[in-house]
Amino acid sequence: NSGKFDTIISDDELTPTQQKNLEAFFEGKIKIIDRTALILDIFSSRAHTREGKLQVELAQAEYLLPRLAGQWSHLERLGGGIGTRGPGETQIETDRRLVRAKIARVKKSLNSVMIHRKMHRSRRLEFGLPVFSLVGYTNAGKSSILNLLAGEGSRAENRLFSTLDPVTRKIVLSDGSRALLTDTVGFIQKLPTTLIAAFRATLEEASDADLILHVIDVSHDNRHEQSRSVMGLLKDLKLADKPVVTVLNKVDIFSDEFDFELDDSFQKFSEDLKNMVFCSAKTGLGRGSLLKSIEQELGNMGF
């Protein structure tokens, strides 16, 4: 009975034809949204910087382009267009031309931002400081770990995708030496390819890192699936061979009596993980152990 709801959200990405057929089946009375559209909507509300807004804008336009047929109302969200309809040009052709022009403009703007970021990244690398990159499933606590190691100052909230832009800060190791730590956008299962392409600037920060800090919310019921999703994406991005320290965050949620060594589900979960460190960004528990593991990895790399 479709009268009891007005929206259907698909957990997988729908092709334009599938979306059109579903809308026709429900006679246009039900709004059809797929996984990518929902994530884009969340990203749109989280973007604060110019780069973040451009990345979301690009992903939205590329998602919209093949879905334009009969949906001219989407153009209202795109802002002002350029050009006018030529002789014999249909409405859909006009719409596609406007969106393609928008994609070209956003890509040009984003490329200039990326060039600027690369210059800053090159300057940082010239100092010879080791670079670490925080990666992990969304809401695992990456920004909180950044604040734990570098001091307060980064946005850290209990919500999905609170960080969309790379944030790089200096940290001081126990021997007084310095390093650079970068926070990145949170990963998610079945991350749409359009988002990977749009957020390549963020992912480039991870590709330049000497060491990956893989942050996992160890208290989450789906920690196994989430960690495997992140490791799978790292493999897709050709980052799986980099040295890794696994940060098992939010350990403070467990009671003092909980014994990880005796817990079968944890043992199975931890089989694929490297260099595990228990940590709580909230209480500061494990900060020393985390720094020690980082310094040990740096020693192995010759820093």
Side-chain angles (χ1 to χ4, degrees):
N1 184 0
S2 61
K4 294 182 179 179
F5 53 88
D6 54 20
T7 304
I8 292 176
I9 301 177
S10 168
D11 189 40
D12 288 295
E13 185 169 328
L14 297 173
T15 66
T17 301
Q18 288 172 330
Q19 185 168 346
K20 185 178 178 182
N21 289 341
L22 281 170
E23 288 171 347
F25 179 79
F26 290 105
E27 300 176 341
K29 297 175 182 177
I30 304 295
K31 188 174 183 180
I32 308 297
I33 296 175
D34 65 6
R35 183 184 187 84
T36 304
L38 178 62
I39 295 174
L40 283 172
D41 191 47
I42 296 172
F43 272 31
S44 181
S45 66
R46 303 289 190 263
H48 298 285
T49 66
R50 179 169 179 259
E51 181 179 0
K53 290 175 180 177
L54 284 171
Q55 288 172 140
V56 173
E57 205 174 354
L58 175 61
Q60 285 176 325
E62 290 183 331
Y63 173 80
L64 173 62
L65 184 59
R67 294 169 170 80
L68 275 174
Q71 299 184 36
W72 303 329
S73 61
H74 282 301
L75 288 176
E76 295 173 4
R77 288 180 240 155
L78 294 176
I82 61 171
T84 57
R85 191 191 309 186
E89 188 174 41
T90 65
Q91 181 67 53
I92 186 60
E93 288 168 345
T94 303
D95 295 347
R96 284 173 178 156
R97 179 165 52 82
L98 293 173
V99 175
R100 287 192 186 104
K102 181 183 181 65
I103 289 172
R105 290 198 309 274
V106 174
K107 280 185 175 179
K108 185 176 180 181
S109 299
L110 197 53
N111 281 336
S112 66
V113 173
M114 288 175 64
I115 290 170
H116 188 66
R117 180 177 292 284
K118 282 181 180 178
M119 289 173 59
H120 278 282
R121 194 157 61 233
S122 297
R123 286 175 193 160
R124 292 200 307 261
L125 294 174
E126 284 175 6
F127 288 104
L129 297 179
V131 179
F132 315 142
S133 187
L134 289 159
V135 302
Y137 208 81
T138 183
N139 208 33
K142 296 182 302 302
S143 297
S144 296
I145 294 294
L146 176 65
N147 288 334
L148 177 69
L149 295 176
E152 297 295 325
S154 293
R155 180 187 298 270
E157 299 171 283
N158 183 25
R159 63 177 190 172
L160 302 178
F161 307 114
S162 62
T163 301
L164 289 187
D165 302 288
V167 177
T168 301
R169 300 181 55 201
K170 239 177 222 182
I171 64 171
V172 180
L173 303 176
S174 59
D175 62 357
S177 62
R178 295 174 182 268
L180 298 175
L181 183 59
T182 300
D183 193 6
T184 61
V185 65
F187 291 173
I188 194 169
Q189 285 179 324
K190 298 183 286 187
L191 188 67
T193 53
T194 53
L195 295 181
I196 293 176
F199 282 79
R200 65 188 186 278
T202 300
L203 299 172
E204 279 178 3
E205 293 284 349
S207 68
D208 285 338
D210 300 299
L211 176 67
I212 299 290
L213 301 185
H214 177 191
V215 182
I216 299 173
D217 177 357
V218 72
S219 70
H220 201 288
D221 291 340
N222 295 328
R223 60 188 176 224
H224 198 175
E225 293 80 5
Q226 292 183 354
S227 66
R228 286 194 165 182
S229 294
V230 172
M231 289 188 289
L233 282 166
L234 289 176
K235 186 175 181 181
D236 292 343
L237 296 166
K238 296 180 174 57
L239 301 177
D241 293 333
K242 285 185 177 289
V244 174
V245 171
T246 306
V247 185
L248 301 176
N249 190 29
K250 305 187 184 182
V251 71
D252 57 286
I253 293 175
F254 292 95
S255 66
D256 293 337
E257 293 80 21
F258 188 85
D259 192 336
F260 286 98
E261 292 184 2
L262 298 178
D263 185 77
D264 291 338
S265 65
F266 177 79
Q267 292 304 317
K268 184 178 180 182
F269 150 72
S270 61
E271 286 174 356
D272 300 329
L273 304 179
K274 304 175 184 175
N275 302 330
M276 293 185 297
V277 179
F278 290 99
C279 190
S280 168
K282 183 178 179 180
T283 66
L285 178 70
R287 184 179 187 275
S289 299
L290 177 54
L291 285 172
K292 186 177 179 180
S293 292
I294 290 172
E295 290 161 6
Q296 186 174 349
E297 285 299 320
L298 287 179
N300 295 338
M301 290 184 280
F303 279 98

